Amino acid sequence: MSSFLEASYAYWQIQSADRAGLSHLSQLALVPVLRYRPADGASPWFFETGLGVTATSSVYKTRQKSFSTSFNFSTHLAVGRSFGEQRRHEIALRLEHFSNAGIKHPNPGENFVQIRYARRF
């Protein structure tokens, strides 16, 4: 079992709530992550979970959903595999959920399925 802090930036392009075209927002996230590797850490496979905070440049609004805050929580579950020299590359299938945990309403939440590639430097 290992842990690390994931810091990320994302740029989202979404269909705007007023149907006038595309909208965008930026997202910053800090997510503490727990990672498990079978075989006492020798396996290239891993499983992970994380729970942290995110902030977006504006409130997330689409035709179907409207959040009430730009501060939200992020949770995820993932399975992945490391490869390459010193396991510097990895690919993972990740299920991620964003919501404000009921701080303010509406709080519809948003779920994503991602295939993520990461490279450690």
Side-chain angles (χ1 to χ4, degrees), residues 29-104:
L30 283 175
V31 180
V33 177
L34 289 175
R35 181 177 280 186
Y36 169 73
R37 283 188 188 274
D40 292 326
S43 175
W45 292 95
F46 62 85
F47 304 90
E48 70 178 36
T49 186
L51 169 62
V53 295
T54 73
T56 52
S57 58
S58 60
V59 175
Y60 178 72
K61 291 182 182 180
T62 67
R63 290 187 215 170
Q64 295 83 17
K65 294 184 180 184
S66 180
F67 281 31
S68 58
T69 60
S70 60
F71 172 82
N72 289 283
F73 295 94
S74 170
T75 57
H76 77 264
L77 294 172
V79 59
R81 191 171 199 285
S82 300
F83 57 96
E85 181 185 334
Q86 298 177 337
R87 294 185 181 169
R88 288 185 187 217
H89 303 271
E90 60 188 44
I91 192 157
L93 178 62
R94 183 165 161 158
L95 307 174
E96 194 157 5
H97 174 78
F98 296 101
S99 76
N100 72 20
I103 293 171
K104 192 174 178 184

